[in-house]
């Protein structure tokens, strides 16, 4: 009986404690990304409410939400004296005035805002315009690329884009501030031409590259939409593009040049190691490499802000969260970052998210650090720095502090469609 009585007393105490809410408290100076003590603890500092979230194995403060000030209710003012009041006189009926024709409200033009790690989570709607404006400025130079484009088409293949030279000229200009190949081989094939395409890659980039890349590419005539890139043995860019029968799942991306620019980004990244040949892909997390290539591909394929907005909206809506990632909450985004940061360990989360969540993360970083900043970080890793050291040097903040902020930024955009 003593044990039973003690059990119920303990249960009552536990329930009492569980029903006590985590209150928002006033706090001393709080920095986003700094350590906190209790999950979901809230604290108010400098007109912002911060929440304690889990980042990996640590508890840190998020970027905070501005405290909304209550709007005072205006006191109504009486016009004239009420009829029947002592000493009052009837209020004259006003003469009806003609109703003016309303002037249509013009669609507001987005404004360019400076985004930082301190304010980007509160301004996610400003990211797209910020980035595209930076891109337009970046491309408004006198740089003239001279890259030579060799288009090689399989004997049984009809590519969607028969002339991809313009896409490669755009890609070359995107990387105008970095060393890059002066020639590219673009190989197009269908399942019927798979062995032919593999031989084309092997003779230029080596058998190992060909065996590896075609080991995960073009499994059947109806499932042949893969694309991959590398560097040839004499440091030229090379990429191959599968096309399903008929058309191909990447037909739209191929037609606009998005996929060519995406793959050229990988080749430029590899080229930063010259003259040392190595596994460039493992210098940064997988989400970073594929996110960067997706980012440049979407920018380069867009001739207007409307086109860029359409491409980014398609990417955000593309993948409903599956059982592997569960949802798009910040803690799941952090788990995604961690899962693809353990090469050569294979992630339990699908690689499809590399091209969406990874892309959105790179977009946010470019909004803060500029169009060149993702490649600047890669150059630092090619020069010997670890990813985290290169991140700190490029963006001026520790990765552990930036990750929760970026996760919140990405989460807000995707949860608008998949709450």
């Amino acid at each position: 009986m003593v044990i039973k009585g003690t059990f119920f007393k303990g249960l009552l105490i536990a329930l009492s404690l569980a029903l006590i809410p985590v209150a928002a408290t006033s706090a001393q100076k709080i920095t986003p990304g700094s350590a906190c003590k209790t999950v979901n603890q809230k604290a108010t500092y400098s007109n912002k409410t911060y929440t304690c979230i889990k980042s990996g194995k640590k508890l840190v403060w998020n970027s905070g939400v501005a405290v909304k000030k209550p709007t005072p209710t205006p006191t109504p003012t009486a016009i004239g004296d009420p009829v029947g009041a002592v000493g009052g006189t009837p209020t004259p009926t006003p003469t009806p005035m003609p109703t003016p024709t309303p002037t249509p409200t013009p669609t507001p033009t987005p404004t360019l805002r400076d985004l930082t790690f301190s304010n980007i989570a509160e301004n996610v709607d400003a990211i797209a315009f910020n980035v595209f404006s930076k891109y337009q400025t970046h491309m408004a130079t006198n740089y003239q690329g001279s890259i030579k484009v060799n288009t090689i088409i399989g004997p049984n293949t009809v590519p969607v884009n028969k002339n991809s030279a313009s896409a490669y000229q755009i890609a070359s200009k995107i990387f105008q501030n970095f060393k890059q190949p002066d020639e590219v081989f673009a190989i197009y094939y269908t399942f019927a031409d798979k062995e032919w395409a593999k031989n084309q890659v092997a003779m230029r980039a080596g058998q190992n590259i060909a065996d590896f890349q075609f080991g995960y590419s073009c499994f059947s005539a109806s499932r042949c939409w893969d694309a991959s890139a590398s560097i040839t043995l004499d440091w030229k860019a090379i990429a191959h593009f599968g096309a399903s029968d008929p058309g191909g799942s990447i037909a739209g991306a191929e037609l606009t040049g998005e996929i060519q620019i995406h793959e050229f980004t990988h080749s430029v990244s590899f080229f930063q190691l010259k003259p040392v040949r190595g596994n460039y892909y493992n210098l940064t997390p997988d989400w970073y490499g594929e996110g960067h290539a997706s980012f440049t591909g979407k920018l380069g394929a867009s001739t207007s802000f409307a086109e860029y907005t359409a491409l980014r909206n398609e990417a955000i809506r593309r993948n409903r969260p599956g059982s592997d990632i569960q949802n798009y909450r910040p803690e799941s985004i952090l788990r995604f970052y961690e899962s693809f940061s353990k090469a050569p360990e294979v992630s339990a989360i699908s690689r499809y998210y590399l091209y969406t969540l990874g892309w959105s993360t790179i977009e946010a970083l470019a909004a803060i650090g500029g169009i060149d900043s993702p490649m600047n970080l890669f150059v630092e890793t090619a020069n010997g720095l670890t990813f985290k050291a290169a991140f700190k040097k490029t963006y001026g903040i520790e990765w552990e502090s930036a990750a929760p902020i970026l996760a919140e930024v990405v989460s807000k955009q995707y949860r608008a469609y998949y709450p």
Side-chain angles (χ1 to χ4, degrees), residues 140-214:
T141 66
N142 294 325
Y143 176 87
Q144 295 292 330
S146 58
I147 186 169
K148 179 181 178 182
V149 180
N150 303 287
T151 302
I152 306 172
I153 302 172
N156 302 294
T157 301
V158 179
V160 175
N161 188 349
K162 296 182 181 180
N163 183 14
S164 57
S166 60
Y168 282 106
Q169 296 298 333
I170 292 171
S172 178
K173 192 166 187 177
I174 290 174
F175 296 110
Q176 60 189 279
N177 297 320
F178 300 92
K179 60 184 183 180
Q180 56 180 280
D182 59 5
E183 187 173 358
V184 59
F185 295 91
I187 302 168
Y188 297 88
Y189 69 100
T190 56
F191 183 71
D193 292 329
K194 180 177 178 179
E195 285 303 314
W196 167 89
K198 182 177 178 180
N199 289 333
Q200 293 292 318
V201 173
M203 69 186 343
R204 292 175 173 86
Q207 193 66 51
N208 289 341
I209 294 293
D211 289 342
F212 174 71
Q213 292 184 342
F214 282 87

Side-chain angles (χ1 to χ4, degrees), residues 3 28 51 63 77 127 136 171 175 184 193 201 207 211 215 217 234 293 341-342 363-364 369-370 373 408 412-413:
I3 294 175
Q28 295 181 348
T51 303
S63 59
T77 303
I127 293 175
Q136 287 182 309
F175 296 110
V184 59
D193 292 329
V201 173
Q207 193 66 51
D211 289 342
S217 301
D234 56 349
S341 300
K342 299 177 178 179
E363 184 190 47
S373 65
E408 184 175 358
K412 284 184 176 180
Q413 295 176 80

Side-chain angles (χ1 to χ4, degrees), residues 229-277:
S230 188
I231 288 291
T232 65
L233 298 174
D234 56 349
W235 293 94
K236 311 296 183 184
I238 187 170
H240 50 89
F241 307 91
S244 296
D245 299 328
S249 294
I250 60 170
E254 185 179 325
L255 186 62
T256 61
E258 178 182 349
I259 193 66
Q260 286 87 359
I261 298 170
H262 177 115
E263 297 304 332
F264 189 71
T265 301
H266 288 308
S267 292
V268 174
S269 297
F270 195 153
F271 198 81
Q272 303 313 302
L273 276 68
K274 187 180 180 181
V276 178
R277 303 185 69 88

